[in-house]
mmCIF file of all heavy atoms in Angstrom:
data_model
loop_
_atom_site.group_PDB
_atom_site.id
_atom_site.type_symbol
_atom_site.label_atom_id
_atom_site.label_comp_id
_atom_site.label_asym_id
_atom_site.label_seq_id
_atom_site.Cartn_x
_atom_site.Cartn_y
_atom_site.Cartn_z
ATOM 1 N N LYS A 797 -55.286 -68.147 68.738
ATOM 2 C CA LYS A 797 -54.754 -69.506 68.841
ATOM 3 C C LYS A 797 -55.247 -70.217 70.088
ATOM 4 O O LYS A 797 -55.392 -71.432 70.110
ATOM 5 C CB LYS A 797 -53.219 -69.467 68.831
ATOM 6 C CG LYS A 797 -52.639 -69.131 67.472
ATOM 7 C CD LYS A 797 -51.139 -69.254 67.488
ATOM 8 C CE LYS A 797 -50.566 -68.988 66.102
ATOM 9 N NZ LYS A 797 -49.105 -69.076 66.090
ATOM 10 N N LEU A 930 -42.473 -92.302 70.604
ATOM 11 C CA LEU A 930 -42.591 -90.956 71.168
ATOM 12 C C LEU A 930 -43.795 -90.810 72.088
ATOM 13 O O LEU A 930 -44.042 -89.729 72.629
ATOM 14 C CB LEU A 930 -42.691 -89.929 70.028
ATOM 15 C CG LEU A 930 -41.507 -89.895 69.046
ATOM 16 C CD1 LEU A 930 -41.830 -89.042 67.843
ATOM 17 C CD2 LEU A 930 -40.268 -89.364 69.754
ATOM 18 N N ARG A 1000 -67.493 -113.527 48.592
ATOM 19 C CA ARG A 1000 -67.972 -113.245 49.945
ATOM 20 C C ARG A 1000 -66.820 -113.425 50.940
ATOM 21 O O ARG A 1000 -66.109 -114.420 50.915
ATOM 22 C CB ARG A 1000 -69.112 -114.194 50.328
ATOM 23 C CG ARG A 1000 -70.345 -114.080 49.445
ATOM 24 C CD ARG A 1000 -71.213 -112.931 49.866
ATOM 25 N NE ARG A 1000 -72.368 -112.743 48.971
ATOM 26 C CZ ARG A 1000 -73.270 -111.811 49.131
ATOM 27 N NH1 ARG A 1000 -73.164 -110.968 50.151
ATOM 28 N NH2 ARG A 1000 -74.288 -111.698 48.282
ATOM 29 N N ALA A 1128 -2.750 -56.182 81.578
ATOM 30 C CA ALA A 1128 -2.523 -56.675 82.944
ATOM 31 C C ALA A 1128 -1.040 -56.938 83.203
ATOM 32 O O ALA A 1128 -0.541 -56.723 84.316
ATOM 33 C CB ALA A 1128 -3.335 -57.939 83.172
ATOM 34 N N GLU A 1207 -60.602 -40.059 72.149
ATOM 35 C CA GLU A 1207 -59.630 -39.924 73.239
ATOM 36 C C GLU A 1207 -58.212 -39.974 72.664
ATOM 37 O O GLU A 1207 -57.550 -41.003 72.721
ATOM 38 C CB GLU A 1207 -59.816 -41.043 74.270
ATOM 39 C CG GLU A 1207 -61.194 -41.044 74.923
ATOM 40 C CD GLU A 1207 -61.317 -42.145 75.959
ATOM 41 O OE1 GLU A 1207 -60.432 -42.225 76.836
ATOM 42 O OE2 GLU A 1207 -62.282 -42.921 75.881
ATOM 43 N N GLU A 1304 -7.514 -67.645 53.351
ATOM 44 C CA GLU A 1304 -7.400 -67.959 54.774
ATOM 45 C C GLU A 1304 -7.475 -69.460 55.044
ATOM 46 O O GLU A 1304 -7.611 -69.892 56.181
ATOM 47 C CB GLU A 1304 -8.504 -67.241 55.555
ATOM 48 C CG GLU A 1304 -8.417 -65.723 55.462
ATOM 49 C CD GLU A 1304 -9.520 -65.036 56.243
ATOM 50 O OE1 GLU A 1304 -10.156 -65.708 57.099
ATOM 51 O OE2 GLU A 1304 -9.763 -63.844 56.001
#
Side-chain angles (χ1 to χ4, degrees):
K797 288 186 177 179
L930 301 170
R1000 298 278 176 180
E1207 299 181 52
E1304 298 180 16

